[in-house]
Each structure stands twice: as structure tokens, then as C-alpha cells.
Amino acid sequence: MKIAKSFLVLLLILSISVLTTACSNNSQVVLPNQPNDQQNSLKIYTTFYPLYDFTKKIVGDNAQVENLMPAGVEPHDFEPSPKQTAMIYDGDIFIFLGESMELWAKKMAGDLDKKGVAVVEAGKGLIENNDPHIWLDPVMAKEMAQKIFDGVVAKDPEHSEVYQENLNNLMQKFDELDKNLNEIISSSSEKNIVTSHSFLGYVARRYGLEQTAITGLSPQEEPSPKKMAELVEFCKAKKIKYILDEPGEVSKLSQTLADEIGAEILIINPLGTLQPNEVKAGEDYFSVMEKNLEVLKRVLSYEQ
Ligand SMILES: [Zn+2]
């Protein structure tokens, strides 16, 4: 009887200690030499998808990267919640594009810097005429990635070697994309594209396309009825067969124009955000760009 009692006590002590270990797992137990050690690694916040994806590809598991904009949200009019703002102040690095995309971030940047949060403005010196869509041009995306890399290494020089290796791999992928875009566009006779909003300006300029957009630099800049009528005339004159719209709901304006000129609507992803189903499918910037290239081939009547 006595033995059985002390056995029970032992069992109780054992189970309590197991319970304590389990509870402290998240906050206390630190395994040495774990590359993705959540305790000491940098906490990086990015504003929207391409910045998140490029940063993640550079840091791998050596830092925690969190994207502020939820999947499927229209990136041009996003603003962070007060809770997210507090999170940014708690982070080590904050990465945004520029005032043409995130005016709120530009306003916060100086104060963040004073409070010891390193700020990376990835579009600095790259954005022209208030057009934020530089990430779709792989040559400019390389410069964005370089700025992100510089900002991360300045804060975490210990991992600079692995970050450099990751950056090199990323740069190679951008070079490949640049080569493919160049090949497709230079060998196509059709040069006119009509987009829902003006997201392909940099790509058009670099590779020699003529972009006509239904709305302006953001989907919120809607055209006047007069501008819409001019668009219809333009598309008829140029024999436009396709309208490039974005994932999510097809815009009424795209549908109206397509109906008016007998064009087909094709979906291209400007990568300001991934849709929830794309996140689930494990898509990233490059896999989506591959699909975008297939759509472009069709629009430009590309033949290999
Ligand atoms: Zn856009």
C-alpha cells in the first residue's frame, strides 16, 4: 500500500513536470543552433506581397517575415490597423515601397527610425511619375531586392553570407524572367495591350509595348464617360482582342469595354497581392509571373 502511494506521488510529480515543459515550450525552451530560432531572430514587417516574397527569399529561415496586407486585399488603398501599427514599432525592420503605394508608411518612416526600427524604402530612387508598379519589371525588382538585402544585412551582419547566397539565387531568377519577357515581347508583332488599371507601365517601357489602361495608376481612378468613349474608339481602331483584368471580380468597366468592342477578358495578376487560393496552392512571385507570361503570349499573338 505504501509503495503504491509513493508511486502515485511520483507519477503526479512526473506529469506536472511534463505539463510545465509543454507549457513553457513556446516561451522558454531554446534549442541551440537552430537556424529558425524564433527567440533571437529578426522580426521584419513588409507592407505588401512582392516585398514580402523578395524578403522571405533573401532571409530564408534566419528571420521572421510578416506581411501586413492580408491575401486578396486591394493593395492601393490598404492602411494598417492600430494593432498592426503597434506591431511595426515592435519589429526590427520595416520594409515598404514608397509614398505612391503606402503614403501612411512614408509618414511613419522618420518616427520609426528614431525609435530604432530600421526602415527600408525599396522603391527609393526607382519610382517615376508616381507609378508604384516597379516590382513587375524584373530589372527594377533586382534593385528592390538589393535594397532589401542591404537593409537586412546592416541589421544582421552575422548572416550576411547566407543572405548573399540567397540574393544571388533571387537575382538569377529575375535575370531569367527578364530574358523571357524580352524574348516574348520582341518576337511578337502585336504591341498594344489594354489593362484594367495601369500596372504594366514599366514593363511596357522596358520591352517595347504600348499600354492603354481603363482606370489610372490605381483601380480607384475611374475614367469619365468621355474617356470611356475614346477608349472604345481606340480599341476598335487597334482591333484589340483582349482586355487584361485582375484576379477577383472582373471590373464593370472592363466588362463594358469588352462587350462594346467584342473582346475577351483575360486575367493577369499584377502581384500587388496573392489571392487566398494562390497562397493555398503555394504560388509565389515567379510561379504567378510564369502564368502571366502565358497570358501575355496569347495577347501578343506570340508564336515560338
Ligand atoms: Zn496596381
Side-chain angles (χ1 to χ4, degrees), residues 112-235:
L112 282 169
D113 189 56
K114 266 188 235 154
K115 303 258 161 67
V117 181
V119 177
V120 176
E121 185 177 343
K124 196 169 191 172
L126 300 172
I127 293 170
E128 286 173 38
N129 304 322
N130 224 23
D131 180 355
H133 303 92
I134 51 174
W135 65 89
L136 289 161
D137 169 355
V139 180
M140 287 207 167
K142 280 176 78 172
E143 295 198 46
M144 291 168 62
Q146 183 67 51
K147 284 190 211 298
I148 294 170
F149 169 83
D150 292 344
V152 173
V153 167
K155 198 85 178 172
D156 184 20
E158 222 176 283
H159 290 104
S160 64
E161 239 171 84
V162 57
Y163 293 158
Q164 183 67 60
E165 205 183 310
N166 292 343
L167 179 73
N168 295 348
N169 291 336
L170 180 58
M171 294 307 205
Q172 258 178 30
K173 286 181 157 186
F174 285 130
D175 284 339
E176 236 167 84
L177 181 60
D178 172 45
K179 218 177 94 205
N180 290 340
L181 269 164
N182 201 23
E183 148 70 14
I184 291 165
I185 296 173
S186 65
S187 353
S188 300
S189 51
E190 179 59 59
K191 301 291 182 197
N192 277 294
I193 48 169
V194 177
T195 54
S196 49
H197 84 279
S198 178
F199 54 82
L200 281 178
Y202 292 101
V203 170
R205 194 173 68 184
R206 185 169 307 279
Y207 304 99
L209 292 176
E210 289 291 331
Q211 175 188 235
T212 304
I214 302 174
T215 61
L217 286 168
S218 84
Q220 287 79 32
E221 290 173 33
E222 294 201 358
S224 63
K226 184 170 169 264
K227 167 112 194 289
M228 231 9 219
E230 283 168 9
L231 261 172
V232 170
E233 285 318 305
F234 172 86
C235 291

Side-chain angles (χ1 to χ4, degrees), residues 5 7 32 45-46 48 91 103 110 126 153 183 214 216 261 275 295:
K5 205 172 183 181
F7 177 73
Y45 288 101
T46 61
F48 73 113
L103 188 58
L126 300 172
V153 167
E183 148 70 14
I214 302 174
I261 63 171
Q275 299 300 312
V295 175

